Amino acid sequence: MWIVRLALRRPYTFVVLALLIAVLGVLSIATMSTDIFPSINIPVVTVIWSYTGLSPTEMEGRIVTVSERAFTTTVNGIEHIESVSLRGVAITRLYFHPNVPIEAAIAQVNAQAQQIVRALPPGIFPPLILQYNAASVPVLLASLSSDQLSEQELNDLANNFIRTELVTVQGASVPLPYGGKVRIVQVDVDPDALYARGLSPPDVNSAILAQNVILPAGTAKMGTIEYDVAINSSPEILGDLNKIPIRYVNGATVYMGDVAFVHDGFYPQTNLVRRDGRHSVLLPILSNGSASTLKIVAQARQLMPSILTGLPSSLKVDFLFDQSVFVRAAISGVLREGLIAGCLTGLMILLFLRSWRSTLIVATSIPLAILTSIIMLDFLHQTLNVMTLGGLALAVGILVDDATVEIENNHRQMDLGKPLREAILAGAAEVATPAIVSTLSICIVFVPILSLGGVSGALFSPLGMAVVFAMLASYLFSRSLVPTMVLYMLGPEARARQGDDSGHPPIRSFFGRISDSLETGFLKLNRAYEGALDWTLEHSVVMIIVFLGFAAVSLFLFPFVGRDFFPTVDAGQLRLHVRTPPGTRIEETEGYFQRIEDYIRQVIPANELNVITDNIGVPNAINLALSDSVTVGPADGEILVALNATHHPSADYLKTLRSELPRRFPDVEFFSQPADMVSQILNFGLPAPIDVQVTGPLAESDTNFRVAQQIAGELRGVPGAVDVHVQQILDAPRIMIDTDRLLAQQVGLTEQNVANSLLISLTGSGTTTPNFWLNYKNGVSYQVVAQTPQERISSLDQLGRTPVAIAGQAAPRLLSWFGFAALTCLAIVLLASGVAPVWALVLLGFFHSIFFPTIFALSVKHLGPYTKLGSSFLVMSIIGGAVVPAVMGYVSDFSNIRNAFLVPLICHCCVLYFSLRGYQPVLSSGELEYADSIQ
């Protein structure tokens, strides 16, 4: 009662307080983030390891397992660890207990990751560590396309120019683009040219590292001026990289352009994006989990025209899969329903209390209670979302009770003839205890929600807080603001009642006449209810049987009612994962996707279809970590289908595709994934609502896989279960290369030489020895990668011809030494006298016995299918050598026999030149290895 008396004594205080709440509430609404769901702040840390070219098995055994054991040593509060290993990429997620500070967890993980790098494969870089948030889902996709720009130019513009501008949008997270070709400075190694010069791919890489360096020189003070000293450590013109020397051999310099071609190129494409059948690039824009989706999308759309101002005019950027449309529709729906509920509540109060003043008082207290709840939610760093607004809409019907009961009791006291102030105090005293008990009872119902944990707690706790705050505020307003407004607004009605008591005829208002009619109808209904109640009391047994029968029928229907964590949402989007036969190269996978896309267009009418986007292959590791993608290689990908606003149920189309696609494409596996942001958030990063994990010893991975397949087969028989599949792939094709270490050691090579040659030739030099070149025209540093073009290694024979040598060291030349010995013998024949020339001729014959088989073997080596043709030319040249004796006889006739040996001297000089310059022996990987086992 004290607060009611205080409000009546200090009415302006509470009026100003109400105005202050209104202002602060409007400011909170304007500044609070708006999203579909509350923030799901479950502590999860993602660790991304990258080591290009390493197989998934090696990534697991040599990197993931080592790092997981190290994390469990010094990182505190780990609940469990999950890891996914792909080719060259491993993603480890560390799930922590709810109360673990995520900042401290990231610091501990980072410290441990930096320490264990030395125990991992050589050349690996420290991992990228991110905080994972299930609510960080793509809210918008920017699609880049052009009729003139290439895929590498599209990817370069998206990554280095558009993405760097979009990250300035508050709350937005913009990872690397999907699709396109990553732009690099490409060094196309020529294996045949390396053969001819006794070089190997590591020699090319060593030359790049030695000749393209980024080192400062410093300054020099000369006289009164201090000069900045610069050197040409890195060429300014890209073409100059073709002129850098690799090695000085036998009086001649081998340049980069002799064995390779440096040009503006791209990495071998591992991720391909198609939009309606055309290659494009997708730039995802994510919400960081606590930002407003509506603001992010609006600011991104507003910023894009200014970004495109300085870019090529042929570049087109379209926005796809805009989730703000769905968020806005959901929020608007909740607000609309809440507004309708408030209007209906006010209308009922107006009709039953017959007072527009009383209705205005109630209509004032309800919004103020809601604004107070919003202020408290803003203070607790909550957002405006479906859950909080749903709680407020739920509370509208409850909030009306406090003010209505207070006002109705005041009316009753005034009807008893009490003055207005006395009626307010008496009425407030009578309902004080029931009102506080009723308010607390409702609040207690929502208190247990606050104790929920995990995703459920993150979703439903804001709903409970919204209702509790609004209820408590409503009770306080009913004890303060409502009495104040009654005192100042119901004075005319109190005087009107006094006029009725004095005998003057009352004046009925329009709403009063409507209320009288409702009162008459209510009295009739009440009499009918009394009659029905009398009948039920007389036939109580019948009513009990009817009630029990109704309850039994209702209970029988319970198993037929679907149960789910959240209602199904039709956002007009489909997301289909397609997995072609393992090992399919990305170019062939694109053909599968084209045929599947053609069938989808047959199922969905053109007037309902908006866009179809294909995302094929494995994207960047960061994109994998920030999404729920389950793509494991170039043989699978996703098809995103967006429907127009007017369309048939998406579930019907999905049902048709589930049944027809496996029948039309029997060698392809299909399963759907969540397409809308609601399902993606509720799945918490998993590709499906139900995830079954099979654990077992690493040594028995094949057995674990068979058990998983058996479980999947049984789950497919569960009614209602769809898209049951096993995520892992264990039957991908593989080429196994075994090195003959003994042979390699005999020629001065080691396993490291073999591995380095294959690494640079197949994967590229950027894995372990990164090098960069600055493009002064656009200010972007591009990585310099030496690699054999993939089209040059299209068979086992070409793979086996990968040159292997010790970097910086020429291979031994037996033919060269014998050539010098033969020339020495001929010199003795020409210059010496006595028996020395005779012995020299004998030794010359010995050396000739080495010449012919060695020249033959070296000439036909590595000719492959041209070996037979090369042998024919060699035989013809040997037969043609029969001309030499005739020429020697001719010279003898005109001079002497000693001078005739000048003819073979000239021939032996040609042989020596062939051994030194025309051919330089180098062992290929095929001589050190055998690659005939394909698994």
Side-chain angles (χ1 to χ4, degrees), residues 430-444:
E430 289 182 353
V431 301
T433 302
I436 187 62
V437 172
S438 174
T439 301
L440 294 179
S441 299
I442 296 174
C443 293
I444 289 174

Side-chain angles (χ1 to χ4, degrees), residues 310-487:
L311 300 181
S313 57
S314 61
L315 177 64
K316 299 179 182 178
V317 178
D318 299 318
F319 292 104
L320 308 177
F321 299 92
D322 188 350
Q323 299 295 333
S324 67
V325 177
F326 173 71
V327 174
R328 188 178 292 107
I331 299 297
S332 301
V334 175
L335 291 176
R336 182 175 61 254
E337 297 302 324
L339 181 61
I340 293 174
C343 293
L344 292 177
T345 300
L347 180 61
M348 296 304 296
I349 294 173
L350 180 62
L351 294 177
F352 282 98
L353 293 183
R354 312 177 188 181
S355 171
W356 65 268
R357 294 180 176 86
S358 300
T359 303
L360 181 60
I361 295 173
V362 175
T364 302
S365 65
I366 293 177
L368 286 176
I370 292 176
L371 290 176
T372 303
S373 180
I374 292 176
I375 293 173
M376 294 303 299
L377 292 174
D378 188 20
F379 178 77
L380 296 176
H381 305 289
Q382 296 292 334
T383 63
L384 290 177
N385 50 74
V386 173
M387 306 306 294
T388 55
L389 294 178
L392 295 176
L394 175 66
V396 169
I398 308 175
L399 296 178
V400 72
D401 293 344
D402 292 327
T404 303
V405 169
E406 181 77 19
I407 293 176
E408 195 277 334
N409 207 33
N410 292 337
H411 278 273
R412 190 179 67 84
Q413 294 294 332
M414 287 188 293
D415 291 338
L416 295 177
K418 295 181 180 180
L420 181 57
R421 182 180 293 269
E422 183 179 348
I424 294 173
L425 293 174
E430 289 182 353
V431 301
T433 302
I436 187 62
V437 172
S438 174
T439 301
L440 294 179
S441 299
I442 296 174
C443 293
I444 289 174
V445 172
F446 291 92
V447 168
I449 297 178
L450 302 178
S451 62
L452 292 175
V455 179
S456 301
L459 290 178
F460 293 103
S461 292
L463 184 147
M465 288 189 291
V467 175
V468 170
F469 292 147
M471 289 300 303
L472 294 177
S474 176
Y475 174 77
L476 293 176
F477 284 129
S478 69
R479 312 301 293 172
S480 57
L481 183 63
V482 171
T484 302
M485 296 184 69
V486 169
L487 178 63

Side-chain angles (χ1 to χ4, degrees), residues 582-634:
T584 305
R585 53 192 294 176
I586 194 170
E587 296 85 358
E588 297 298 323
T589 305
E590 182 182 5
Y592 277 97
F593 273 69
Q594 180 61 56
R595 294 189 292 272
I596 296 170
E597 183 178 327
D598 293 340
Y599 177 72
I600 293 176
R601 295 183 183 277
Q602 298 177 14
V603 174
I604 303 177
N607 59 344
E608 297 185 15
L609 187 60
N610 184 5
V611 64
I612 298 180
T613 303
D614 303 335
N615 193 349
I616 308 172
V618 181
N620 186 275
I622 298 177
N623 295 30
L624 277 177
L626 295 177
S627 67
D628 61 347
S629 174
V630 293
T631 303
V632 297

Side-chain angles (χ1 to χ4, degrees), residues 527-734:
R527 287 192 294 268
Y529 170 71
E530 290 177 355
L533 185 59
D534 292 337
W535 185 90
T536 55
L537 292 176
E538 294 175 358
H539 304 81
S540 57
V541 177
V542 176
M543 289 305 302
I544 292 175
I545 295 175
V546 172
F547 173 77
L548 293 177
F550 180 79
V553 172
S554 301
L555 186 63
F556 175 76
L557 294 176
F558 177 76
F560 298 96
V561 179
R563 285 169 288 177
D564 206 342
F565 182 72
F566 207 80
T568 303
V569 177
D570 187 356
Q573 299 174 5
L574 300 177
R575 186 181 176 194
L576 193 66
H577 194 95
V578 180
R579 178 167 293 169
T580 61
T584 305
R585 53 192 294 176
I586 194 170
E587 296 85 358
E588 297 298 323
T589 305
E590 182 182 5
Y592 277 97
F593 273 69
Q594 180 61 56
R595 294 189 292 272
I596 296 170
E597 183 178 327
D598 293 340
Y599 177 72
I600 293 176
R601 295 183 183 277
Q602 298 177 14
V603 174
I604 303 177
N607 59 344
E608 297 185 15
L609 187 60
N610 184 5
V611 64
I612 298 180
T613 303
D614 303 335
N615 193 349
I616 308 172
V618 181
N620 186 275
I622 298 177
N623 295 30
L624 277 177
L626 295 177
S627 67
D628 61 347
S629 174
V630 293
T631 303
V632 297
D636 59 343
E638 298 175 357
I639 298 179
L640 305 176
V641 181
L643 304 179
N644 291 323
T646 303
H647 61 84
H648 289 83
S650 304
D652 294 345
Y653 291 132
L654 184 59
K655 182 179 180 180
T656 303
L657 294 176
R658 279 194 180 118
S659 60
E660 292 296 327
L661 285 176
R663 185 176 61 84
R664 293 175 178 267
F665 304 93
D667 57 339
V668 180
E669 182 181 6
F670 300 91
F671 56 89
S672 64
Q673 290 184 248
D676 58 277
M677 64 183 304
V678 173
S679 301
Q680 293 179 20
I681 294 174
L682 294 179
N683 287 352
F684 200 72
L686 296 176
I690 301 176
D691 181 61
V692 179
Q693 298 183 0
V694 179
T695 59
L698 294 177
E700 300 179 4
S701 58
D702 294 337
T703 303
N704 300 334
F705 185 73
R706 288 195 299 270
V707 172
Q709 289 181 317
Q710 182 180 358
I711 295 175
E714 296 178 359
L715 289 177
R716 291 187 182 97
V718 176
V722 294
D723 300 327
V724 181
H725 66 281
V726 178
Q727 171 62 18
Q728 286 73 18
I729 298 177
L730 299 184
D731 58 347
R734 181 178 60 176

Side-chain angles (χ1 to χ4, degrees), residues 806-826:
I806 301 176
Q809 175 179 334
R813 297 181 175 86
L814 184 64
L815 183 62
S816 301
W817 292 107
F818 279 70
F820 280 115
L823 288 176
T824 303
C825 292
L826 288 173

